Amino acid sequence: MSRPKAKTPALRYHLSGQSVVTIGGRDFYLGKHDSPESLARYAVLISTYQSHGLQLPDGFNDDQLKARAEMLLGHRIEPQHQENEPVTVAHVVASFREFAKVRYEGSRSELHRILLVCSQLEQYEGKTLAEKFGPLKLQEQRERWVNAEMSRRYVNRQTNLVVRIFKRAVSQELISQTTWQALKAVEPLRFGQTKAYETEPVRPVDIEIVRATAKFLPPVVRDMLRVQIATGMRPSEVCNLRPMDIDRSETVWMFRPVKHKTAGKGIRKAVAILGDAREVIENYLNRNPNSYCFSPIEAMAWRNTQKRAARKTKIQPSQISRAKANPTKSPRDHYDAQSFCKAIQSAAKAAGVASWHTYQIRHLAATVVCDALGREFAQSLLGHKESKMTERYTTTAERNAIEAAKHAPKL
């Protein structure tokens, strides 16, 4: 049985820097990738293809395509030529960018970081031949990040990302393995050997500061905070909580997230839902199992109710419904790590306490469990595969060192 034809053949990035689409075994090169001209040509092709029973009419040629695209745009399109261009850094970056948009679709912060690095590489080294982008070029780019006053650890992360970009290019046979291996020779910036500043380690937030902040949070966000404190989950895991991901078949409920930080490595995670966490989540199960438990829409509705209650003047009939029929920006169906943290920081400011972020809750939960039960239990709570990672989340090691120093021998 033959494979059915695609109703809308995909628009792809080509090494030449153009958009390309394959219809009926024929490649159509449409112009600079994602340009108005290439999108107009693509729209004409798909329209023609679909209106003729998923095939192009006999005799349909590039001149006809160009003429109809010009009518759609309202201006003349300059001739496009497909050339066998040498592979430049711009080609390598463009290939990785298209890959990243799919691979990191569910992680807005990581995708934003990747796209920013791609844009910077294009800006400074886009015309450089990919095979000529060696360790010295990489160190030049790294120095730009240092001069932009980024932290040492963040600069190292950015540098490693560039190496990954070229590794991807090797897998796509755009460059030889030699270029990627040479970039790996660049050693990371070491502590005290660079002018890049050092970041302070993340510390657990004081529970009293958390309690003061919670008084100024919408009920939905306050419940998210209660769940995170009780479970030590990552902020993104709390945001992605859905009824369908909670296994309620046993006495102890287990949250088994489909998406989490180490899911791509084949690691399965299970979070026990007990005590305060269960008390909260029970109130969010009366909804579509596929929907998210914690919604900004509900937080906005609560906030609007508070504003109406605080009004000093009576609401006029004409003011009862001022909601726009088609607002340009609507609240999302769930929080993400950034919006969750932003809500926390706004409430901390309103409470008049020191600013803190949601990852400090994870450190707080880890430290409390480690002190009470030991590192092995904290490791299980956080879902870490290695105990060394758990050490970063606890301050127990420091307290043990202090206690040990009190009993150290004296001269």
Side-chain angles (χ1 to χ4, degrees):
M1 182 177 179
S2 61
R3 184 178 179 179
K5 293 182 178 180
K7 187 175 181 180
T8 308
L11 185 67
R12 312 187 308 278
Y13 173 82
H14 187 261
L15 178 60
S16 64
Q18 300 186 68
S19 293
V20 62
V21 62
T22 303
I23 297 179
R26 176 184 170 189
D27 290 334
F28 289 86
Y29 295 88
L30 310 177
K32 184 178 179 181
H33 187 57
D34 276 349
S35 66
E37 292 77 11
S38 67
L39 296 176
R41 281 190 171 100
Y42 180 64
V44 170
L45 271 173
I46 296 302
S47 175
T48 306
Y49 171 75
Q50 292 179 349
S51 61
H52 288 79
L54 302 188
Q55 63 182 7
L56 294 176
D58 294 337
F60 186 82
N61 55 41
D62 291 337
D63 291 337
Q64 291 174 304
L65 173 60
K66 179 174 177 290
R68 291 183 58 182
E70 288 177 340
M71 290 178 60
L72 187 62
L73 288 170
H75 63 76
R76 185 173 180 273
I77 297 177
E78 295 300 322
Q80 299 287 339
H81 303 285
Q82 180 193 357
E83 301 176 358
N84 293 322
E85 302 178 21
V87 179
T88 65
V89 172
H91 294 141
V92 169
V93 165
S95 175
F96 191 85
R97 182 186 286 116
E98 296 304 309
F99 158 75
K101 287 178 181 178
V102 177
R103 170 66 177 79
Y104 298 99
E105 181 182 8
S107 178
R108 291 201 307 169
S109 59
E110 183 65 10
L111 181 58
H112 174 75
R113 183 177 77 90
I114 289 172
L115 296 182
L116 185 60
V117 170
C118 288
S119 297
Q120 290 170 339
L121 282 177
E122 271 186 330
Q123 178 184 351
Y124 295 108
E125 304 291 347
K127 295 181 180 179
T128 303
L129 293 177
E131 299 288 355
K132 297 293 184 182
F133 189 88
L136 291 179
K137 287 286 188 181
L138 178 56
Q139 290 174 73
E140 286 179 17
Q141 180 57 51
R142 183 174 68 180
E143 193 63 22
R144 294 188 187 103
W145 288 322
V146 171
N147 293 335
E149 298 184 349
M150 295 181 180
S151 71
R152 179 182 62 86
R153 291 182 62 187
Y154 192 73
V155 169
N156 284 339
R157 281 188 68 197
Q158 302 290 77
T159 306
N160 290 337
L161 175 56
V162 175
V163 178
R164 283 173 49 210
I165 290 173
F166 278 78
K167 179 182 178 181
R168 169 75 182 173
V170 173
S171 72
Q172 298 303 299
E173 298 185 357
L174 298 180
I175 61 173
S176 68
Q177 185 175 355
T178 306
T179 305
W180 165 52
Q181 293 289 353
L183 295 179
K184 290 172 64 178
V186 177
E187 293 190 354
L189 297 176
R190 303 294 182 183
F191 180 85
Q193 298 178 353
T194 174
K195 62 182 180 181
Y197 74 90
E198 295 294 331
T199 54
E200 290 294 325
V202 178
R203 300 289 184 184
V205 61
D206 189 304
I207 191 63
E208 293 304 324
I209 291 179
V210 177
R211 287 168 179 157
T213 302
K215 296 176 182 178
F216 292 85
L217 287 171
V220 173
V221 184
R222 192 184 306 128
D223 285 344
M224 293 171 69
L225 189 58
R226 287 176 64 188
V227 170
Q228 191 186 13
I229 292 173
T231 61
M233 283 194 281
R234 296 182 180 91
S236 59
E237 293 166 352
V238 177
C239 296
N240 291 328
L241 193 65
R242 300 177 300 175
M244 66 176 291
D245 298 325
I246 301 174
D247 181 1
R248 290 173 277 169
S249 60
E250 302 293 338
T251 304
V252 176
W253 292 0
M254 300 296 292
F255 170 47
R256 307 184 191 278
V258 176
K259 295 180 181 179
H260 59 90
K261 186 177 180 180
T262 55
K265 298 180 181 179
I267 298 175
R268 296 182 180 180
K269 182 169 184 176
V271 180
I273 306 298
L274 296 165
D276 212 28
R278 177 159 174 170
E279 183 178 321
V280 169
I281 291 173
E282 283 179 338
N283 298 322
Y284 289 87
L285 298 178
N286 57 342
R287 59 190 64 206
N288 189 315
N290 296 314
S291 62
Y292 296 95
C293 290
F294 307 115
S295 167
I297 298 174
E298 295 176 15
M300 182 175 287
W302 175 84
R303 192 176 294 111
N304 291 339
T305 301
Q306 296 295 106
K307 287 181 178 180
R308 292 193 193 98
R311 282 180 65 99
K312 295 181 180 180
T313 58
K314 186 177 180 181
I315 300 177
Q316 302 300 319
S318 60
Q319 296 177 315
I320 292 177
S321 179
R322 286 187 173 182
K324 295 181 180 179
N326 296 300
T328 55
K329 188 176 181 180
S330 301
R332 301 176 66 202
D333 60 349
H334 71 292
Y335 284 90
D336 59 21
Q338 288 72 37
S339 57
F340 181 22
C341 186
K342 186 176 179 180
I344 293 292
Q345 291 176 337
S346 296
K349 184 177 180 180
V353 297
S355 179
W356 57 279
H357 57 83
T358 47
Y359 247 97
Q360 289 179 267
I361 291 294
R362 186 165 163 82
H363 286 253
L364 171 64
T367 298
V368 171
V369 171
C370 188
D371 286 348
L373 301 174
R375 185 179 300 164
E376 182 181 351
F377 288 88
Q379 181 180 343
S380 298
L381 178 76
L382 299 181
H384 288 156
K385 192 174 182 180
E386 302 290 340
S387 61
K388 288 183 179 180
M389 178 61 72
T390 308
E391 289 178 13
R392 300 182 186 179
Y393 285 79
T394 68
T395 57
T396 304
E398 288 186 8
R399 286 201 284 268
N400 289 347
I402 294 170
E403 192 64 27
K406 292 178 181 178
H407 296 81
K410 299 177 182 179
L411 183 60

